[in-house]
Amino acid sequence: MENAESHCTRVKCITLLMKRATVFMVLLAMMLTIHPFSTAQAEKSILKIRNYADIAYLDPIYIYATPESITIEALYRKLITYKPGHTWEWELDAAESLKQVDPTHVEFTLKKGIMFADGFGEMAAEDVKFSFERHLDPDLGSYYKGEWENLDHVEVTGKYSGTIILKAPAATLWTTAMPSVAGHIVSKKAIEKTTNKYFEIGGEKDYPKGCSGPYKFGKWVAGDKTILVKNEVYNGAHKPEFDEIWLFPIDDAKTAEMVYEAGDIDYTWISASSYASYKAKPPKNTTVENRPSIFAVWLGMNKDNAALKDIRVRKAIQYAVDVPSIIKATYAGLGAPATGMVAKGITGYREKTLIPPEANVQKAKELLKEAGVKNLSLTVSCQNISNDLTTAQIIQANLAQVGITLQINQYDEGTFWTLGEEASGDTWKDLQLVLQRWSSDPDPNYMLQYFNTKGVGFWNWERFSNEEYDKLLVEGYKELDLKKRAPIYQRMQELMEESGCYLFLTNETTPAMYRNTIVPGLRPDGIPLLHFFQKN
């Protein structure tokens, strides 16, 4: 057995060594770092989870990546929350009752006695009002302002009651705004008291206070771990069964598999290439499963870059890339080619793309010839992870067949996510092809809202701008009839594909393994809901 610091050092050591050394060296490192547990540590119940990247912020209005959204789910409560399982459903959380009385009014009553940690008192309707209306403050720059775009205001009608008043109907209110990150309720007093904008992680900062969820923030060590500790004032339905949750930022799936087999984590996503072997012969006392994902992976093309201004060049690239080869090489055949940003099972899913996923080399060459392009050299930007590199190499080989030379530029996560942002400098001007992978929530508006004209230079790195798309986005957001919503979002994805700016690759799957000593709480797409994890 070993103490807490030795355990974290070992995980970090394995992570580094997997990138630089052989399996033998990894095992040797594990053997050399074994130390006895302290008695106090041995008595603690600790859940150890792989979180594929480190966290940067823990403010509900400023979370932009899955690792942060996974973390914050355990810290704050919402009116409603997603239920674990295989179908997309929600249940009441902080709300005692919640009712849509007409298309633009939703009445709520909070459960009494919900407490904020650190002495910030009881949750009240005023906290709900403050939390939701923060997304509308232009000075705060909420990443989820689109989810609350039609919010006019929240009217407080009593200490625990209020009415959400919309400017127009919002179909996303029940699918993403309230049950997702955008719906977290923070303590107004705690936020107004802090000097740490967005609860930025790093250095000697004031970390999140006033948590109302089953856990609260404990400790963070850069690149090593985030520790959540049991919230002593939590009195909700899902009691925390663990004293602490340790989240380890392990970006590489193969490394995570080794860390799991060493016994250092209890739950991890695994690589697609390892799924079949693990499923056939899982580690001792381990469950291996695979769920359909709603991630979106695509090859984007910056249409404002001089080399890609001609739509025929962009379309040639669409035709040249063989998506099934990427599924086979990068994902070991798990999953299917994507038909758009919207995954199967979600409103707005398309049955097929306009351009077949199989490469058409002849068509690609014809388009390049029409454009008068010869000996074209391009770059593709991606993150420094194995899946991206494999995918980029397949694309590189595909484009070589039509006379395009492709240079692969890999970046660490922090640098990568600044490449297309105008606010981060002029790097967007040099951006050409880019491999993107985004998480999602179960509503088509969530994924498609970022590609309107307003998003150019922010999240819209392809700089795609289409008047019809912008109008449909507004129309789909207001449409409450699912049968009428679906064709709206299907058309939007057609417009994206027709622009030549997007080549949809896959929506992935979520293979994972976990100890039989735990019962994981998972969304239908395999994303952990930490507040639902239990002991078995």
Side-chain angles (χ1 to χ4, degrees), residues 9-251:
T9 300
R10 178 159 71 145
V11 172
K12 192 171 184 179
C13 194
I14 294 173
T15 302
L16 292 172
L17 285 171
M18 274 297 292
K19 295 179 179 178
R20 303 176 184 174
T22 63
V23 173
F24 171 78
M25 292 179 67
V26 174
L27 297 175
L28 180 61
M30 289 159 45
M31 293 173 63
L32 292 175
T33 55
I34 296 176
H35 299 286
F37 253 125
S38 67
T39 302
Q41 185 63 46
E43 294 175 350
K44 285 186 177 180
S45 173
I46 301 173
L47 174 66
K48 301 163 191 172
I49 301 286
R50 175 202 174 193
N51 211 6
Y52 70 79
D54 213 343
I55 59 175
Y57 300 93
L58 285 177
D59 187 325
I61 70 168
Y62 212 68
I63 286 176
Y64 63 91
T66 299
E68 293 167 330
S69 65
I70 289 173
T71 305
I72 204 171
E73 281 286 344
L75 302 180
Y76 299 105
R77 297 183 70 173
K78 297 168 287 190
L79 294 178
I80 57 176
T81 185
Y82 294 126
K83 294 174 64 175
H86 294 276
T87 57
W88 289 103
E89 300 178 54
W90 56 261
E91 65 179 34
L92 293 174
D93 184 14
E96 179 71 36
S97 64
L98 190 65
K99 180 181 180 181
Q100 182 142 10
V101 293
D102 63 46
T104 58
H105 291 75
V106 176
E107 295 178 349
F108 68 87
T109 301
L110 291 172
K111 295 172 182 175
K112 296 179 181 179
I114 297 177
M115 305 303 294
F116 290 114
D118 309 302
F120 285 102
E122 186 181 15
M123 182 183 292
E126 189 63 39
D127 296 299
V128 178
K129 175 182 176 67
F130 175 77
S131 299
F132 293 176
E133 291 182 4
R134 288 181 79 213
H135 294 280
L136 306 182
D137 186 342
D139 293 332
L140 291 179
S142 169
Y143 283 119
Y144 297 93
K145 59 185 177 183
E147 298 302 294
W148 292 106
E149 185 177 358
N150 277 5
L151 175 66
D152 187 84
H153 69 284
V154 176
E155 180 181 343
V156 174
T157 58
K159 182 176 181 180
Y160 304 105
S161 62
T163 303
I164 300 169
I165 301 175
L166 306 173
K167 293 178 287 188
T172 62
L173 189 66
W174 298 88
T175 56
T176 59
M178 291 194 293
S180 76
V181 173
H184 284 293
I185 303 167
V186 297
S187 164
K188 180 181 178 181
K189 293 178 182 178
I191 294 293
E192 290 178 340
K193 186 176 181 180
T194 185
T195 58
N196 180 8
K197 189 176 183 182
Y198 306 132
F199 286 128
E200 182 180 6
I201 303 299
E204 297 297 323
K205 297 183 183 295
D206 181 23
Y207 289 144
K209 296 293 193 300
C211 295
S212 58
Y215 296 89
K216 60 183 183 179
F217 185 87
K219 182 179 180 181
W220 175 82
V221 180
D224 190 358
K225 65 183 178 297
T226 298
I227 296 179
L228 308 181
V229 299
K230 187 182 294 187
N231 187 354
E232 67 280 357
V233 302
Y234 174 78
N235 59 2
H238 304 287
K239 300 295 183 183
E241 296 197 8
F242 303 93
D243 295 311
E244 297 180 357
I245 297 178
W246 291 6
L247 297 144
F248 296 98
I250 307 172
D251 60 353

